[in-house]
């Protein structure tokens, strides 16, 4: 759900234009950014949920650290706390709550789409049940949900950009750039997985 996460960044940016889009894009992807080095080290993996299964939403992801519920809550609190301490004067008093919420939105969206492969505690400690509502089992429905997030993020971001940007040329460039990023990431999700 790469594109869906990016869609959230567009939605939040439309509501909070003082927060840089780059910070929002990183915040929406932070658990996946933690996943990448762990996957490179072989600690976390993504593999087909069933033999021969491929395409959109076909992975069973073992991400017992980067996508653990408690680990992502701690990550959201850390980002929120650091942002509040260092950037509240530039981006607003509640920026820590906003960016922390954006970080945690990643886990919530993953809960919706993942098969039961999300752990509660890092490393799967405690042997608690795995979580995931499995929307990926219905790729067409998942694509609609993800597409709706992309559409909302693109439209709201473009609306806000045109409203606030004094230069129409710059507004078109910003809006088109973010729109291409979001739509491109949706196509990557649909065709590249």
């Amino acid at each position: 759900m790469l594109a869906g996460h990016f869609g959230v960044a567009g939605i939040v940016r439309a509501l909070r234009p003082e927060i840089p889009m780059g910070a929002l894009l990183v915040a929406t992807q932070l658990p996946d950014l933690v996943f990448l080095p762990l996957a490179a080290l072989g600690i976390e993996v993504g593999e087909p949920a069933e033999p021969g299964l491929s395409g959109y939403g076909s992975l069973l992801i073992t991400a017992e650290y980067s996508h653990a519920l408690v680990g992502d809550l701690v990550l959201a609190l850390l980002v929120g706390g650091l942002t509040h301490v260092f950037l509240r004067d530039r981006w607003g008093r509640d920026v820590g709550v906003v960016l922390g919420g954006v970080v945690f939105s990643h886990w919530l969206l993953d809960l919706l789409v993942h098969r039961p492969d999300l752990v509660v505690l890092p490393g799967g400690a405690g042997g608690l049940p795995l979580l995931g509502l499995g929307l990926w089992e219905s790729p067409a429905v998942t694509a609609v949900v993800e597409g709706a997030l992309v559409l909302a993020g693109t439209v709201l971001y473009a609306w806000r950009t045109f409203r606030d940007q004094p230069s129409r040329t710059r507004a078109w460039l910003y809006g088109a750039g973010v729109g291409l990023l979001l739509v491109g990431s949706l196509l990557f999700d649909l065709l590249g997985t």
Side-chain angles (χ1 to χ4, degrees):
M1 176 160 292
L2 174 72
H5 298 307
F6 282 157
V8 169
I11 293 166
V12 174
R13 172 73 172 163
L15 300 172
R16 296 296 302 273
E18 67 278 7
I19 302 174
M21 185 58 131
L24 292 167
L25 290 171
V26 169
T28 64
Q29 292 298 329
L30 200 51
D32 284 348
L33 293 173
V34 172
F35 173 81
L36 291 173
L38 294 175
L41 294 170
I43 297 169
E44 296 187 342
V45 296
E47 54 198 10
E50 299 171 17
L53 192 61
S54 65
Y56 184 60
S58 64
L59 293 179
L60 183 64
I61 298 171
T62 305
E64 295 182 338
Y65 298 96
S66 65
H67 285 67
L69 170 59
V70 172
D72 282 2
L73 279 171
V74 169
L75 189 60
L77 289 170
L78 181 65
V79 166
L82 289 171
T83 305
H84 175 75
V85 169
F86 294 108
L87 296 169
R88 72 174 178 258
D89 293 336
R90 291 182 66 191
W91 297 348
R93 292 180 51 94
D94 65 343
V95 69
V97 172
V98 173
L99 274 182
V102 169
V103 169
F104 192 65
S105 76
H106 185 104
W107 192 88
L108 293 173
L109 288 175
D110 279 1
L111 175 67
L112 178 66
V113 297
H114 277 234
R115 293 166 179 81
D117 61 8
L118 298 169
V119 297
V120 175
L121 297 171
L128 298 170
L130 298 175
L131 304 174
L133 300 176
L135 194 59
W136 273 342
E137 296 287 340
S138 302
V141 175
T142 306
V144 168
V145 170
E146 192 164 20
L149 285 169
V150 167
L151 181 63
T154 301
V155 168
L156 290 172
Y157 178 82
W159 164 77
R160 185 62 181 236
T161 301
F162 279 103
R163 191 185 98 174
D164 294 350
Q165 186 57 247
S167 164
R168 289 294 169 215
T169 302
R170 188 175 288 164
W172 273 107
L173 289 172
Y174 287 170
V178 169
L180 286 173
L181 170 71
L182 295 177
V183 172
S185 63
L186 179 60
L187 290 174
F188 177 79
D189 276 355
L190 293 174
L191 304 173
T193 306

